[in-house]
Amino acid sequence: MDGVSQQDVQKYREDGYLVLEGFFSPEECDVLRERMSEIVEQMDVPVHCRTQFSTDHDEQLKTQGNADYFITSGDKVCFFFEKGVFNENGEFTVPKERSLNKIGHALHAHEPVFKSITHSPKVQNLAKKLGLIKPVVLQSMYIFKQPCIGGEVTPHQDATFLYTEPLGKVMGVWIALEDATLDNGCLWFIPGSHRNGITRRMVRTPKGSFPLTDFIGREQNYRDDLFVAAPVKKGGVVLIHGEVLHRSAENTSDASRNVYAFHIMDSENTCWSSENWLQPTEELPFPSLYT
């Protein structure tokens, strides 16, 4: 795919999301998947860090160790697991390559092949077409959506977790490394919902408190018939506005739905909230997308 049309830009602004088929080649996708297989093969996760992932963060915040592991993962490569893949002793009950929900949140900084895709000319040109002046990379993650056990992601807005003032400065870039279908858990969106602001924020609690994060406000209930499916072929990209409502169903199929996703923020005249769980560190300030 050579570029993004003005019609594409307009559709993204109207709907709050955009599907771009064929943005990356199958070979580019395979390089990321092969490197991830190596990372998984080599992973050695301490028992107390065997953290299950949930969009509500209910499981991962139950213990201090799990909470610390999550909230300090922004400048590291950390491992988050599906529910039910450990026994009471913290031992795997499934092959470890089938246990993971995602790996995040700094693949873009520590893994050269992921960094190369994140800062690729294709992505840089896309950001420029969308008018981003000083985009920085906030976080990145590899999402597995395992066959038969890949968990549901409930309706949410990314700005709940990645809050800026003003709103509208964050965008997710969601790269399908395999076909994302109705059967294996493709994304679903409510078109135009990015115009309504947000109703919930996840914030850090005062130092010394536990849990380490809490929610302000609450997620509303949304009619199922408002959601529109966004299946995409391997190599396609889905752009996700920070306030658009989206979800994905459980993967009950025999096919995985691997994705590499990252978030960028236009830092021009933007305030990144000090209450966000994710914070830049001395070791990893948010890097410029254009360098």
Side-chain angles (χ1 to χ4, degrees):
M1 180 174 183
D2 295 327
V4 179
S5 69
Q6 194 55 44
Q7 288 80 5
D8 290 330
V9 173
Q10 187 61 28
K11 184 169 178 56
Y12 172 73
R13 290 175 177 162
E14 289 177 358
D15 291 346
Y17 72 98
L18 178 68
V19 177
L20 296 169
E21 293 282 8
F23 196 83
F24 289 103
S25 69
E27 292 76 20
E28 288 172 307
C29 296
D30 290 342
V31 168
L32 297 187
R33 293 186 64 200
E34 288 162 9
R35 176 57 189 143
M36 184 50 62
S37 293
E38 296 171 354
I39 293 171
V40 173
E41 178 61 31
Q42 297 163 6
M43 77 175 177
D44 181 18
V45 185
V47 171
H48 74 278
C49 293
R50 295 187 175 186
T51 300
Q52 297 173 347
F53 182 76
S54 162
T55 21
D56 290 328
H57 300 273
D58 51 357
E59 297 294 334
Q60 67 188 42
L61 300 180
K62 281 183 178 177
T63 70
Q64 184 78 40
N66 284 356
D68 286 340
Y69 187 69
F70 168 72
I71 208 166
T72 60
S73 65
D75 60 358
K76 303 177 183 67
V77 175
C78 294
F79 303 88
F80 302 91
F81 298 90
E82 291 289 355
K83 293 181 180 181
V85 300
F86 299 115
N87 63 21
E88 61 275 10
N89 298 319
E91 300 164 333
F92 288 106
T93 60
V94 299
K96 66 179 182 180
E97 66 272 11
R98 295 285 295 272
S99 67
L100 285 152
N101 175 288
K102 71 172 184 175
I103 294 178
H105 289 92
L107 290 164
H108 63 282
H110 299 301
E111 288 294 328
V113 294
F114 289 92
K115 182 177 183 177
S116 176
I117 286 290
T118 305
H119 294 269
S120 65
K122 293 177 185 179
V123 173
Q124 292 181 355
N125 290 335
L126 173 61
K128 289 172 183 174
K129 278 286 184 73
L130 291 167
L132 305 187
I133 300 171
K134 293 182 180 178
V136 296
V137 184
L138 301 174
Q139 64 165 3
S140 56
M141 52 194 155
Y142 191 104
I143 306 168
F144 293 87
K145 206 72 165 182
Q146 302 284 1
C148 303
I149 64 168
E152 174 189 14
V153 178
T154 56
H156 68 284
Q157 299 163 288
D158 292 343
T160 289
F161 309 98
L162 307 172
Y163 182 77
T164 63
E165 292 182 355
L167 285 169
K169 295 290 190 169
V170 171
M171 179 177 72
V173 180
W174 196 92
I175 305 168
L177 304 182
E178 301 176 284
D179 292 353
T181 69
L182 294 173
D183 294 326
N184 70 359
C186 70
L187 294 173
W188 293 70
F189 294 90
I190 298 182
S193 55
H194 61 301
R195 300 191 190 97
N196 301 324
I198 63 174
T199 61
R200 186 176 68 142
R201 282 183 60 196
M202 188 174 84
V203 298
R204 288 179 176 242
T205 54
K207 192 170 183 179
S209 303
F210 185 79
L212 304 183
T213 62
D214 200 359
F215 284 100
I216 298 172
R218 58 190 304 174
E219 199 67 77
Q220 298 179 7
N221 294 319
Y222 305 99
R223 288 172 22 212
D224 279 348
D225 64 335
L226 296 178
F227 285 90
V228 175
V232 60
K233 296 288 188 182
K234 177 179 178 177
V237 165
V238 184
L239 302 184
I240 306 172
H241 190 285
E243 283 102 82
V244 73
L245 278 152
H246 58 291
R247 62 175 173 84
S248 66
E250 294 179 7
N251 182 4
T252 56
S253 78
D254 293 329
S256 59
R257 191 221 65 186
N258 284 198
V259 165
Y260 175 55
F262 56 93
H263 286 89
I264 57 180
M265 171 186 74
D266 191 350
S267 62
E268 179 77 357
N269 298 321
T270 304
C271 177
W272 176 256
S273 176
S274 61
E275 294 181 318
N276 287 336
W277 77 267
L278 175 69
Q279 294 296 322
T281 63
E282 288 187 14
E283 294 76 18
L284 183 61
F286 294 147
S288 168
L289 180 70
Y290 293 153
T291 58

